[in-house]
């Protein structure tokens, strides 16, 4: 009886030890997923706001070429970590998640030659559109919320300058947008150039602040946002409009297809594969 108990105990210990070893890759995979998600939210603060994560409500996306390079390096690091996790030691569910995640990372890296950082402007998704759309997801429930909004408005100037720098890099490499797209962006940009803050779409959320904020604070907050609009946002829109009209539009291409840029056929094939 004693021997049977001993054998049973040893077998149980071996089984638990095997389970612990088998669980390690799954834990590593979960940690990798969490790290990737946190990096995604950190690099996409307005997306985080849309999801209800308000840790980054005072930030805008970094559109610089340097930030793009850092993101690619980060993705390469995630892929390296993923490859170190053996799929054969995962459950079917985790193995499938691993495979999908690997494809996601590889697709991101496969798109690198298309240089999306050189064309951060279009008539559907671009900084000049995303800033006024902030009011859809950015909260305005407290004094801090409005202060965060003002910080974001003040940060728009850097975002526009980074956007212009990337567009200039695109011009240098003859990787530019079609004129038909660029022409559609100009009235969109121009519509945000105002002389009175109260006439700006960016000011609209300040007209309906909650009763929980005192009238005295509302006045101060409105002044804070009005100043950010006139001193930061509007001048940034003016710089962008001037650049697009005077430099980018003349350099943009007549042809619509991506094949019209250098290595266009290769870029088209990458897009098809993706």
């Amino acid at each position: 009886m004693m021997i049977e108990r001993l054998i049973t105990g040893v077998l149980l210990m071996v089984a638990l030890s095997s389970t612990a070893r088998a669980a390690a890759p799954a834990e590593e995979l979960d940690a990798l997923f969490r790290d990737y998600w946190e990096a995604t939210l950190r690099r996409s603060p307005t997306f985080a706001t849309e999801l209800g994560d308000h840790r980054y409500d005072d930030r805008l996306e970094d559109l610089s070429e340097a930030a793009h390079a850092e993101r690619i390096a980060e993705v390469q690091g995630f892929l390296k970590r993923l490859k170190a996790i053996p799929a054969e030691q995962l459950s079917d569910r985790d193995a499938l998640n691993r495979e999908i995640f690997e494809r996601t990372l590889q697709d991101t890296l496969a798109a690198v030659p298309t240089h999306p950082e050189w064309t951060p402007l279009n008539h559907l998704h671009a900084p000049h559109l995303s800033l006024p759309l902030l009011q859809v997801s950015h909260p305005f429930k407290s004094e801090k919320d409005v202060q965060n909004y003002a910080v974001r408005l003040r940060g728009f100037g850097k975002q526009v300058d980074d956007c212009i720098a990337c567009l200039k890099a695109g011009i240098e490499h003859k990787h530019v947008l079609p004129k038909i797209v660029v022409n559609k962006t100009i009235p969109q940009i121009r519509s945000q150039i105002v002389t009175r803050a109260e006439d700006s779409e960016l000011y609209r959320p300040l007209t309906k602040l909650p009763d929980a904020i005192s009238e005295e604070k509302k006045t101060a907050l409105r002044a804070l946002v009005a100043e950010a609009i006139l001193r930061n946002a509007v001048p940034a829109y003016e710089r962008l409009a001037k650049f697009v009209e005077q430099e980018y539009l003349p350099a943009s291409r007549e042809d619509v297809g991506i094949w019209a840029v250098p290595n266009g056929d290769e870029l088209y094939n990458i897009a098809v594969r993706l």
Side-chain angles (χ1 to χ4, degrees):
M1 199 73 170
M2 180 72 71
I3 294 175
E4 289 177 355
R5 285 202 199 99
L6 181 60
I7 292 174
T8 302
V10 170
L11 291 174
L12 180 59
M13 288 174 63
V14 170
L16 289 173
S17 177
S18 299
T19 302
R21 285 198 301 273
E27 292 168 2
E28 291 175 17
L29 190 67
D30 286 342
L32 179 56
F33 289 161
R34 286 194 298 271
D35 291 346
Y36 178 79
W37 184 242
E38 284 300 316
T40 298
L41 296 179
R42 187 175 62 253
R43 290 192 177 278
S44 307
T46 60
F47 176 56
T49 300
E50 289 175 14
L51 297 179
D53 187 332
H54 299 294
R55 290 175 294 167
Y56 310 108
D57 279 359
D58 60 346
R59 306 180 198 178
L60 297 175
E61 281 71 11
D62 188 337
L63 299 181
S64 66
E65 285 193 275
H68 177 74
E70 289 171 4
R71 176 175 174 268
I72 296 306
E74 194 171 52
V75 169
Q76 290 170 334
F78 284 130
L79 185 58
K80 183 178 180 180
R81 284 176 60 186
L82 183 69
K83 287 183 177 295
I85 301 174
E88 63 273 12
Q89 294 184 25
L90 297 171
S91 67
D92 289 346
R93 175 179 176 276
D94 284 341
L96 178 60
N97 283 333
R98 182 192 181 282
E99 183 180 352
I100 294 171
F101 187 53
E102 183 174 9
R103 174 62 182 268
T104 298
L105 298 176
Q106 289 175 336
D107 282 356
T108 299
L109 297 177
V112 169
T114 67
H115 290 286
E117 75 276 16
W118 288 346
T119 52
L121 183 78
N122 61 58
H123 61 298
L124 297 175
H125 308 286
H128 69 282
L129 298 172
S130 59
L131 190 70
L133 284 174
L134 264 178
Q135 58 191 275
V136 175
S137 56
H138 186 100
F140 292 91
K141 298 177 181 178
S142 68
E143 185 177 359
K144 181 63 176 175
D145 289 340
V146 181
Q147 290 170 343
N148 284 337
Y149 181 66
V151 174
R152 277 180 155 167
L153 294 181
R154 289 197 289 270
F156 183 60
K158 179 187 181 302
Q159 196 176 53
V160 163
D161 292 340
D162 287 338
C163 179
I164 290 173
C166 288
L167 291 169
K168 284 183 176 180
I171 293 174
E172 181 181 346
H173 292 88
K174 301 187 186 310
H175 188 116
V176 293
L177 292 167
K179 276 187 169 59
I180 190 172
V181 171
V182 179
N183 273 318
K184 289 182 178 181
T185 68
I186 293 174
Q188 294 174 336
I189 299 168
R190 283 280 171 199
S191 69
Q192 301 298 332
I193 299 174
V194 298
T195 55
R196 293 177 66 252
E198 292 79 4
D199 295 332
S200 171
E201 286 183 51
L202 304 173
Y203 188 84
R204 188 181 305 166
L206 278 296
T207 63
K208 46 187 177 182
L209 293 175
D211 294 337
I213 302 176
S214 69
E215 289 303 319
E216 182 180 1
K217 286 185 177 179
K218 284 180 183 178
T219 300
L221 291 171
R222 285 169 181 149
L224 182 71
V225 170
E227 181 182 25
I229 291 172
L230 294 180
R231 292 189 61 179
N232 302 101
V234 171
Y237 275 111
E238 289 174 333
R239 290 197 302 277
L240 185 59
K242 180 180 178 181
F243 169 76
V244 171
E245 291 171 345
Q246 298 182 10
E247 295 186 49
Y248 197 75
L249 182 61
S252 59
R253 53 190 164 91
E254 297 291 345
D255 295 305
V256 176
I258 191 63
W259 49 264
V261 307
N263 301 319
D265 288 343
E266 177 190 353
L267 304 186
Y268 182 84
N269 288 332
I270 290 173
V272 169
R273 287 200 301 275
L274 293 176

